[in-house]
Amino acid sequence: MKKSLIALLLSSVALLSACSASGETKTDLEKSTTNKKLKIGITQIAEHPSLDMVRKGFEEKLKADGVDAQIIYQSAQGDLSVANTIAQSFVDKKVDLIFAISTPSAQAAKNVTSDIPIVFAAVTDPEQSDLKAENITGTSDKAPVKSQLELFNKLDPSIKKVGIVYSTSETNSQIQVKEAKKYATELGLEIVDVGVNNINDLPQGIDAMLGKSDAVYMITDNLVSSSLELLASKTNSAKKILVSAGLFDDSDAAKSIMLANGVSYKSFGEKSAQMAEQILLQNVKPSTIPFFYAEKGENFVSMDVVKQIGLDENNEIIKNAQKLN
């Protein structure tokens, strides 16, 4: 009897020890999973003020929210084939999430993975750019084209021809040009569009466009944005109005644009970071997070450029706009 009791007690101790070890292992595993350092790949089609501000907003928001993540950033320098290579390298590195800045970068990421979550930003039209998928969500910088074209009539009623220079390889640019032509007819304007194949053709394309137009509408085109100062310099020297379809935040390049209509690109990055946190920390499925479209933007004006081109400073649009300088 005594031996049986001792054996029973020993068995109970062994069982309790096993349970304790099992519980300890589970706790450690949960702690390890919770504290796992995340790996986020950021792919950007090119480096220019708007896209750089998106990336800055994204990274700063993650840091402010205490998200422990290793950021792997790569720029395609405007080369679509490099964008594809970058996307594939992130798959090979088994990143936890891809943050794709621009339409070409988002399309490249979508082409290489249906498993890794993708959050995009600075994409003009996600649906027409074929970016609907179970592992994708993001923020759009789609501009209110009609209301932006209306600004030309309000700034100078004599404007009849509005020039647009754009990259022929960007679907987001083709969408915007088509939309601009549709609304221009309603507003009594004519769109003079000049497409360029690469950055080397841009100076000649800008000159050709300026020679045929009364004013310039800068759509959200990555190639053109990467040469923002060149476009602004040539347009200002020709003493013509330049209206930008996006706000490039408080950068030196932004101050060379006569008037920008939009919202902060940094805010697109911050919103994208919130989406990434939902996916990575709360296990939310990307496709259940709706695409984000910004509300109508505000007008931001460079008074230095207004004076340079001789525009009336008492114009209602100018008076009511936020001043960059």
Side-chain angles (χ1 to χ4, degrees):
M1 179 70 179
K2 187 180 289 186
K3 289 182 179 180
S4 300
L5 180 60
I6 292 171
L8 179 62
L9 287 172
L10 289 173
S11 297
S12 299
V13 170
L15 181 61
L16 287 170
S17 298
C19 289
S20 175
S22 174
E24 206 169 70
T25 302
K26 183 179 179 182
T27 302
D28 290 344
L29 179 62
E30 288 173 345
K31 185 176 180 181
S32 174
T33 302
T34 304
N35 293 338
K36 173 190 172 186
K37 191 176 184 71
L38 299 166
K39 190 184 296 183
I40 299 175
I42 301 181
T43 173
Q44 185 170 311
I45 191 61
E47 292 175 329
H48 57 72
S50 59
L51 302 190
D52 291 343
M53 290 307 296
V54 171
R55 188 175 77 253
K56 181 178 181 181
F58 182 82
E59 293 183 3
E60 288 184 354
K61 177 63 175 171
L62 290 180
K63 185 176 181 180
D65 290 347
V67 178
D68 185 19
Q70 175 191 357
I71 302 295
I72 306 171
Y73 164 65
Q74 292 189 49
S75 167
Q77 302 296 330
D79 192 321
L80 298 181
S81 63
V82 174
N84 292 325
T85 302
I86 291 172
Q88 183 58 55
S89 74
F90 287 160
V91 174
D92 296 339
K93 288 183 173 71
K94 297 181 180 179
V95 299
D96 297 292
L97 180 138
I98 296 175
F99 181 42
I101 308 176
S102 77
T103 301
S105 296
Q107 290 172 325
K110 178 179 181 285
N111 289 339
V112 297
T113 181
S114 58
D115 299 318
I116 297 174
I118 299 168
V119 174
F120 62 74
V123 168
T124 302
D125 195 319
E127 296 194 17
Q128 288 196 52
S129 299
D130 193 28
L131 288 174
K132 291 193 73 173
E134 292 298 306
N135 64 321
I136 301 178
T137 189
T139 62
S140 168
D141 63 350
K142 184 175 176 64
V145 176
K146 185 176 182 180
S147 63
Q148 289 178 344
L149 288 176
E150 288 174 337
L151 290 170
F152 290 103
N153 287 331
K154 295 174 182 178
L155 288 165
D156 184 353
S158 69
I159 292 174
K160 299 301 177 187
K161 296 183 177 183
V162 177
I164 299 176
V165 62
Y166 70 100
S167 168
T168 55
S169 63
E170 295 187 34
T171 57
N172 54 299
S173 300
Q174 295 167 20
I175 291 167
Q176 290 174 88
V177 171
K178 183 179 179 180
E179 192 171 359
K181 287 183 176 180
K182 180 182 73 172
Y183 290 127
T185 303
E186 297 177 21
L187 300 171
L189 297 171
E190 178 187 344
I191 298 297
V192 178
D193 58 303
V194 175
V196 296
N197 296 320
N198 54 62
I199 199 165
N200 295 324
D201 296 337
L202 197 53
Q204 185 177 351
I206 293 173
D207 290 339
M209 179 264 299
L210 285 171
K212 302 173 185 176
S213 59
D214 305 317
V216 177
Y217 180 38
M218 180 180 170
I219 60 175
T220 54
D221 178 288
N222 294 294
L223 178 65
V224 176
S225 294
S226 65
S227 298
L228 166 60
E229 293 181 68
L230 174 66
L231 174 63
S233 175
K234 284 180 174 288
T235 304
N236 296 341
S237 295
K239 296 191 179 300
K240 295 183 178 182
I241 290 172
L242 170 60
V243 172
S244 166
L247 171 63
F248 296 88
D249 297 272
D250 192 22
S251 64
D252 290 336
K255 294 172 184 176
S256 65
I257 298 172
M258 200 224 80
L259 187 144
N261 175 267
V263 297
S264 165
Y265 269 83
K266 186 177 180 181
S267 70
F268 289 129
E270 293 168 346
K271 182 64 179 178
S272 299
Q274 291 175 348
M275 293 176 167
E277 289 173 17
Q278 286 181 272
I279 295 166
L280 295 172
L281 305 180
Q282 301 171 27
N283 294 318
V284 176
K285 192 175 182 179
S287 60
T288 65
I289 304 174
F291 296 155
F292 172 78
Y293 293 88
E295 297 179 0
K296 184 177 180 180
E298 299 179 77
N299 289 326
F300 295 79
V301 67
S302 168
M303 293 307 296
D304 288 346
V305 177
V306 167
K307 294 171 184 176
Q308 180 183 343
I309 68 176
L311 194 64
D312 182 7
E313 295 180 33
N314 293 314
N315 178 281
E316 285 302 308
I317 298 295
I318 303 298
K319 283 174 62 177
N320 296 326
Q322 293 192 44
K323 310 300 188 290
L324 292 178
N325 49 32

